[in-house]
Amino acid sequence: MFNNKEYQKEYRMRPENKKRKLEQNRKYYKEMSPEKKEELSLKNKKRYQEKKEEISIKRKKLYREDKEYREKYRQQRIEYRNKNRERISKRAKEYRKNNKESIRNQQLIKKFGIGVDEYNLLLESQDYGCAICGSKETGSHHTKYFSVDHDHKTGKVRGLLCFHCNTGIGSLRDDPNLLSKALDYLKG
Protein backbone atom coordinates (compact mmCIF):
# COMPACT_ATOMS: atom_id res chain seq x y z
CA MET A 1 0.00 0.00 0.00
CA PHE A 2 1.20 3.48 -0.88
CA ASN A 3 2.21 5.57 2.15
CA ASN A 4 2.09 9.27 1.32
CA LYS A 5 3.95 10.42 4.47
CA GLU A 6 6.82 8.03 3.84
CA TYR A 7 7.06 9.15 0.22
CA GLN A 8 7.08 12.84 1.24
CA LYS A 9 9.79 12.24 3.79
CA GLU A 10 11.92 10.32 1.29
CA TYR A 11 11.30 13.04 -1.32
CA ARG A 12 12.43 15.81 1.08
CA MET A 13 15.57 13.88 1.98
CA ARG A 14 16.89 13.76 -1.58
CA PRO A 15 19.89 16.13 -1.86
CA GLU A 16 18.54 18.08 -4.84
CA ASN A 17 15.18 18.60 -3.13
CA LYS A 18 16.79 19.56 0.18
CA LYS A 19 18.82 22.25 -1.54
CA ARG A 20 15.84 23.63 -3.45
CA LYS A 21 13.67 23.69 -0.31
CA LEU A 22 16.41 25.48 1.62
CA GLU A 23 16.64 28.17 -1.06
CA GLN A 24 12.85 28.56 -1.05
CA ASN A 25 12.85 28.94 2.73
CA ARG A 26 15.62 31.56 2.63
CA LYS A 27 13.77 33.58 -0.01
CA TYR A 28 10.52 33.34 1.95
CA TYR A 29 12.27 34.44 5.15
CA LYS A 30 13.90 37.44 3.44
CA GLU A 31 10.52 38.69 2.23
CA MET A 32 8.83 38.12 5.58
CA SER A 33 7.66 41.10 7.66
CA PRO A 34 9.55 41.85 10.91
CA GLU A 35 6.47 40.99 12.98
CA LYS A 36 6.15 37.62 11.25
CA LYS A 37 9.90 36.96 11.78
CA GLU A 38 9.52 37.70 15.48
CA GLU A 39 6.48 35.42 15.72
CA LEU A 40 8.34 32.63 13.92
CA SER A 41 11.38 33.10 16.14
CA LEU A 42 9.29 32.79 19.30
CA LYS A 43 7.52 29.72 17.91
CA ASN A 44 10.86 28.06 17.10
CA LYS A 45 12.30 28.90 20.53
CA LYS A 46 9.23 27.43 22.22
CA ARG A 47 9.42 24.27 20.09
CA TYR A 48 13.13 23.94 20.87
CA GLN A 49 12.55 24.35 24.64
CA GLU A 50 9.90 21.61 24.54
CA LYS A 51 12.24 19.16 22.80
CA LYS A 52 15.57 20.43 24.13
CA GLU A 53 16.50 17.27 26.03
CA GLU A 54 15.53 14.98 23.16
CA ILE A 55 17.51 17.07 20.65
CA SER A 56 20.55 17.10 22.93
CA ILE A 57 20.51 13.32 23.31
CA LYS A 58 20.20 12.80 19.54
CA ARG A 59 23.07 15.21 18.80
CA LYS A 60 25.35 13.61 21.37
CA LYS A 61 24.62 10.14 20.01
CA LEU A 62 25.21 11.30 16.44
CA TYR A 63 28.46 13.02 17.49
CA ARG A 64 29.72 9.82 19.16
CA GLU A 65 28.75 7.42 16.39
CA ASP A 66 29.10 9.34 13.12
CA LYS A 67 32.67 10.30 12.26
CA GLU A 68 31.60 12.49 9.30
CA TYR A 69 29.14 14.42 11.49
CA ARG A 70 31.81 14.84 14.16
CA GLU A 71 34.36 16.21 11.69
CA LYS A 72 31.79 18.50 10.08
CA TYR A 73 30.75 19.80 13.52
CA ARG A 74 34.37 20.44 14.56
CA GLN A 75 35.08 22.22 11.31
CA GLN A 76 32.00 24.42 11.75
CA ARG A 77 33.12 25.32 15.29
CA ILE A 78 36.61 26.25 14.04
CA GLU A 79 35.18 28.37 11.24
CA TYR A 80 32.76 30.05 13.63
CA ARG A 81 35.53 30.85 16.13
CA ASN A 82 37.80 32.20 13.40
CA LYS A 83 35.05 34.33 11.89
CA ASN A 84 33.84 35.66 15.26
CA ARG A 85 37.12 35.82 17.19
CA GLU A 86 36.76 39.47 18.22
CA ARG A 87 33.12 39.11 19.27
CA ILE A 88 33.85 35.95 21.28
CA SER A 89 36.82 37.62 22.97
CA LYS A 90 34.77 40.71 23.81
CA ARG A 91 31.96 38.58 25.28
CA ALA A 92 34.42 36.53 27.33
CA LYS A 93 36.05 39.68 28.74
CA GLU A 94 32.66 41.13 29.58
CA TYR A 95 31.56 37.87 31.22
CA ARG A 96 34.74 37.75 33.33
CA LYS A 97 34.27 41.41 34.29
CA ASN A 98 30.63 40.91 35.35
CA ASN A 99 31.06 37.53 37.08
CA LYS A 100 34.30 37.85 39.05
CA GLU A 101 32.94 36.37 42.28
CA SER A 102 31.25 33.47 40.50
CA ILE A 103 34.43 32.64 38.59
CA ARG A 104 36.52 32.91 41.77
CA ASN A 105 34.09 30.59 43.55
CA GLN A 106 34.34 28.03 40.73
CA GLN A 107 38.14 28.20 40.76
CA LEU A 108 38.34 27.77 44.54
CA ILE A 109 36.04 24.75 44.39
CA LYS A 110 37.93 23.21 41.48
CA LYS A 111 41.42 23.73 42.96
CA PHE A 112 40.87 23.36 46.70
CA GLY A 113 37.34 22.02 47.29
CA ILE A 114 36.21 25.13 49.16
CA GLY A 115 33.96 27.93 47.95
CA VAL A 116 34.09 31.67 48.62
CA ASP A 117 31.95 31.22 51.75
CA GLU A 118 34.40 28.71 53.28
CA TYR A 119 37.31 30.95 52.25
CA ASN A 120 35.71 33.91 54.03
CA LEU A 121 35.04 31.85 57.17
CA LEU A 122 38.66 30.70 57.20
CA LEU A 123 39.87 34.28 56.75
CA GLU A 124 37.61 35.43 59.59
CA SER A 125 38.94 32.67 61.88
CA GLN A 126 42.48 33.92 61.11
CA ASP A 127 41.49 37.47 62.12
CA TYR A 128 41.67 38.58 58.46
CA GLY A 129 45.42 38.01 58.24
CA CYS A 130 48.08 35.51 57.21
CA ALA A 131 48.03 32.26 59.23
CA ILE A 132 51.83 32.43 59.76
CA CYS A 133 52.94 36.06 60.07
CA GLY A 134 49.54 37.64 60.81
CA SER A 135 49.98 40.31 58.13
CA LYS A 136 46.75 41.94 57.00
CA GLU A 137 48.28 42.58 53.55
CA THR A 138 48.42 39.88 50.86
CA GLY A 139 52.04 40.77 50.12
CA SER A 140 51.47 41.02 46.37
CA HIS A 141 50.24 43.90 44.28
CA HIS A 142 48.86 41.36 41.77
CA THR A 143 46.09 40.06 44.00
CA LYS A 144 43.87 41.23 46.81
CA TYR A 145 43.32 37.70 48.14
CA PHE A 146 45.43 35.54 50.41
CA SER A 147 46.81 32.29 48.98
CA VAL A 148 45.08 29.06 49.94
CA ASP A 149 47.75 26.85 51.52
CA HIS A 150 47.08 23.12 51.23
CA ASP A 151 48.83 19.80 51.62
CA HIS A 152 49.88 18.74 48.13
CA LYS A 153 49.61 15.05 48.99
CA THR A 154 46.17 14.98 50.63
CA GLY A 155 44.71 18.21 49.20
CA LYS A 156 43.60 19.28 52.72
CA VAL A 157 43.43 23.06 53.16
CA ARG A 158 45.68 24.25 56.01
CA GLY A 159 45.03 27.98 55.98
CA LEU A 160 45.38 31.27 54.13
CA LEU A 161 48.83 32.77 53.69
CA CYS A 162 50.33 35.99 52.40
CA PHE A 163 52.44 35.82 49.24
CA HIS A 164 55.77 35.77 51.12
CA CYS A 165 54.85 33.01 53.59
CA ASN A 166 53.26 30.91 50.85
CA THR A 167 56.29 31.14 48.52
CA GLY A 168 58.64 30.52 51.47
CA ILE A 169 56.87 27.28 52.38
CA GLY A 170 56.63 26.33 48.72
CA SER A 171 60.35 26.95 48.19
CA LEU A 172 61.07 24.57 51.08
CA ARG A 173 58.83 22.01 49.39
CA ASP A 174 56.44 21.79 52.39
CA ASP A 175 59.15 19.81 54.20
CA PRO A 176 59.27 20.40 58.01
CA ASN A 177 62.86 19.09 58.13
CA LEU A 178 64.01 21.69 55.60
CA LEU A 179 62.13 24.37 57.51
CA SER A 180 63.85 23.30 60.71
CA LYS A 181 67.27 23.38 59.01
CA ALA A 182 66.49 26.82 57.62
CA LEU A 183 65.57 28.02 61.11
CA ASP A 184 68.85 26.60 62.52
CA TYR A 185 70.73 28.29 59.70
CA LEU A 186 69.13 31.68 60.41
CA LYS A 187 69.94 31.38 64.15
CA GLY A 188 73.59 30.87 63.20
Side-chain angles (χ1 to χ4, degrees):
M1 176 158 186
F2 179 73
N3 188 338
N4 194 27
K5 283 188 177 184
E6 285 296 317
Y7 173 77
Q8 287 177 348
K9 186 176 180 181
E10 185 266 320
Y11 180 83
R12 284 192 309 268
M13 296 307 286
R14 292 182 197 154
E16 65 276 4
N17 296 333
K18 265 185 161 180
K19 189 175 180 181
R20 187 173 68 235
K21 186 65 178 167
L22 186 63
E23 288 170 7
Q24 286 173 347
N25 288 345
R26 284 183 180 152
K27 184 180 176 189
Y28 176 74
Y29 190 77
K30 267 185 183 178
E31 296 169 356
M32 197 182 284
S33 69
E35 297 84 23
K36 186 73 175 168
K37 283 182 183 179
E38 183 66 27
E39 184 184 321
L40 184 63
S41 176
L42 291 172
K43 184 179 172 185
N44 287 338
K45 284 178 185 175
K46 183 181 176 189
R47 188 180 317 133
Y48 176 75
Q49 288 302 324
E50 289 170 356
K51 296 186 175 209
K52 190 176 184 178
E53 193 65 33
E54 185 182 326
I55 291 169
S56 177
I57 291 167
K58 281 182 181 178
R59 284 182 179 165
K60 286 176 183 177
K61 183 180 178 190
L62 192 58
Y63 186 86
R64 272 193 320 268
E65 296 173 357
D66 189 344
K67 188 175 180 178
E68 280 183 39
Y69 176 83
R70 189 169 44 248
E71 286 305 315
K72 183 180 174 186
Y73 178 80
R74 287 178 180 164
Q75 194 58 41
Q76 285 174 342
R77 298 301 306 153
I78 290 168
E79 288 170 12
Y80 176 82
R81 282 193 301 266
N82 290 338
K83 192 187 299 182
N84 299 291
R85 190 172 302 277
E86 286 179 33
R87 193 177 95 211
I88 292 169
S89 176
K90 184 179 174 185
R91 272 163 121 197
K93 284 178 186 174
E94 196 166 310
Y95 178 83
R96 287 191 298 270
K97 180 181 165 190
N98 295 333
N99 297 287
K100 286 181 181 178
E101 281 303 306
S102 173
I103 292 169
R104 184 165 170 262
N105 190 49
Q106 291 169 1
Q107 288 174 339
L108 283 170
I109 290 170
K110 184 178 178 182
K111 285 183 178 179
F112 308 111
I114 64 169
V116 171
D117 295 335
E118 292 94 339
Y119 177 94
N120 291 335
L121 286 172
L122 192 55
L123 188 60
E124 186 180 343
S125 73
Q126 292 178 196
D127 197 28
Y128 300 96
C130 174
I132 294 176
C133 70
S135 169
K136 305 292 184 200
E137 300 293 322
T138 63
S140 171
H141 62 277
H142 295 294
T143 181
K144 61 182 181 180
Y145 302 109
F146 286 95
S147 301
V148 178
D149 179 46
H150 64 288
D151 186 322
H152 289 267
K153 291 177 185 159
T154 64
K156 184 178 180 270
V157 174
R158 295 186 283 225
L160 304 176
L161 305 178
C162 69
F163 173 78
H164 302 293
C165 293
N166 189 47
T167 54
I169 287 178
S171 296
L172 295 170
R173 298 182 290 278
D174 295 344
D175 186 346
N177 295 328
L178 282 177
L179 186 60
S180 176
K181 287 180 182 180
L183 183 62
D184 292 342
Y185 174 79
L186 285 174
K187 287 183 180 178

